[in-house]
Amino acid sequence: MTPHDTAVLRAGGRPVGRYVTRPELPARLSPRPYLHPVTTLAGTAVTELSPADHTHHLGVGVAVPDVEGHNFWGGRTFVRDRGPTELDNHGAQRHTAFQLRDPDGFVEELRWVASGAELLRERRTVAATELTEFAWALDFTFSLTNVTSDPLSIGSPATNGRPGAAYGGFFWRARKEASTPDVFTVDREGERQIHGTSAPWVALAGSTWTLIFAGATEETRRDPWFVRAEEYPGVGSSLAAGERLPIPPGETAVRRIVTVVADGRISRIEAASLVRKAVSQ
């Protein structure tokens, strides 16, 4: 997996992430741009790239398992009444150009292509902001426009018959450690209590780091969180939890997630304060 083109993301002048625009990946992994490694201000890595447990998990980015039957997530496809199935249905997100490229962020255009046809055009805006001496925020917005002449919809394994598996959208594959990370919100604790809920923010705390994910728009806040801690550490927002998300021709779906990346293990009070500061930037 040799990066073809990369951009270094900085917060407060310090490098905190590398963005790979044209990764050389096999089709089965649904090639797409990603952020990896992402680090805390102290330099601790908080992402993983193509880990052995899920080789199609690529740091931080946007991944969707079902766009009109095309897999932009990678790996097997969940088929109703058959289960996870190997299919030749993988799409790719292709970097087109940067409209803006600064040390602390960028604006990018991408094409979502499958079976030789462009289905979606994406405008992705990413910005890094230093919050405190120990925390920074990754502001990640993506807009998906249906460029076909037909209606299309986004689905998930959950909408295709697999309960509890509503992954698809913004996704952060976190660093796996010897111990399972803690997961908490303002009033809940544990993967089973938080997965599938629409909490204002979700924190994932490892041994020396904490990630705090927050939906920053009304639509994003309505999306349930997809949370994994015991099997592997990862958090994402679910575009298609209970039903498919339709995008009519020419229309656009927009989501914005702000993630606080902090050194140390953060308390609930600290997490809430950092989220307020990050979202208001």
Side-chain angles (χ1 to χ4, degrees):
M1 294 186 295
T2 303
H4 179 75
D5 188 21
T6 63
V8 176
L9 193 65
R10 298 178 182 274
R14 285 181 278 186
V16 292
R18 186 184 68 172
Y19 188 65
V20 180
T21 60
R22 296 185 178 95
E24 296 179 2
L25 297 169
R28 186 182 180 277
L29 300 188
S30 296
R32 57 194 183 272
Y34 59 79
L35 278 158
H36 175 82
V38 177
T39 70
T40 67
L41 290 175
T44 300
V46 288
T47 54
E48 286 203 26
L49 179 68
S50 202
D53 55 55
H54 290 79
T55 56
H56 49 280
H57 288 180
L58 308 178
V60 180
V62 183
V64 176
D66 180 356
V67 180
E68 285 300 311
H70 301 285
N71 184 339
F72 288 88
W73 176 271
R76 295 179 294 176
T77 297
F78 187 87
V79 179
R80 190 179 297 274
D81 299 326
R82 291 175 60 186
T85 306
E86 288 286 353
L87 298 176
D88 184 19
N89 67 337
H90 294 92
Q93 298 172 20
R94 296 179 181 171
H95 167 84
T96 301
F98 285 113
Q99 277 71 49
L100 173 70
R101 185 170 173 177
D102 290 331
D104 60 352
F106 57 84
V107 179
E108 179 189 22
E109 281 192 357
L110 304 99
R111 299 168 60 234
W112 290 43
V113 178
S115 300
E118 182 180 3
L119 303 179
L120 296 166
R121 191 162 299 164
E122 179 188 348
R123 182 180 178 89
R124 182 175 298 184
T125 303
V126 175
T129 305
E130 185 177 16
L131 300 175
T132 69
E133 62 183 11
F134 65 87
W136 66 278
L138 180 72
D139 194 329
F140 195 114
T141 299
F142 63 98
S143 305
L144 301 175
T145 301
N146 178 358
V147 294
T148 74
S149 57
D150 299 313
L152 62 74
S153 64
I154 288 173
S156 69
T159 62
N160 293 336
R162 182 184 174 190
Y167 51 83
F170 172 86
F171 181 69
W172 188 303
R173 172 58 199 253
R175 174 182 178 178
K176 192 169 187 177
E177 299 179 320
S179 300
T180 300
D182 292 334
V183 185
F184 60 91
T185 67
V186 66
D187 59 357
R188 298 188 185 195
E189 185 172 346
E191 176 184 341
R192 291 178 176 81
Q193 295 298 316
I194 299 169
H195 174 71
T197 67
S198 298
W201 54 263
V202 172
L204 188 71
S207 59
T208 61
W209 50 269
T210 303
L211 301 172
I212 312 161
F213 305 88
T217 64
E218 184 178 347
E219 283 190 325
T220 311
R221 285 191 289 269
R222 286 199 299 264
D223 292 337
W225 294 106
F226 175 82
V227 178
R228 289 290 184 264
E230 295 178 4
E231 181 184 0
Y232 63 82
V235 174
S237 61
S238 302
L239 290 176
E243 57 187 22
R244 300 183 69 89
L245 173 67
I247 307 179
E251 295 198 10
T252 302
V254 182
R255 297 294 189 272
R256 178 185 172 215
I257 296 91
V258 177
T259 306
V260 175
V261 182
D263 284 294
R265 292 172 63 86
I266 304 302
S267 70
R268 279 188 171 88
I269 294 175
E270 289 175 306
S273 176
L274 286 168
V275 165
R276 284 194 298 270
K277 186 173 183 179
V279 172
S280 65
Q281 294 289 321

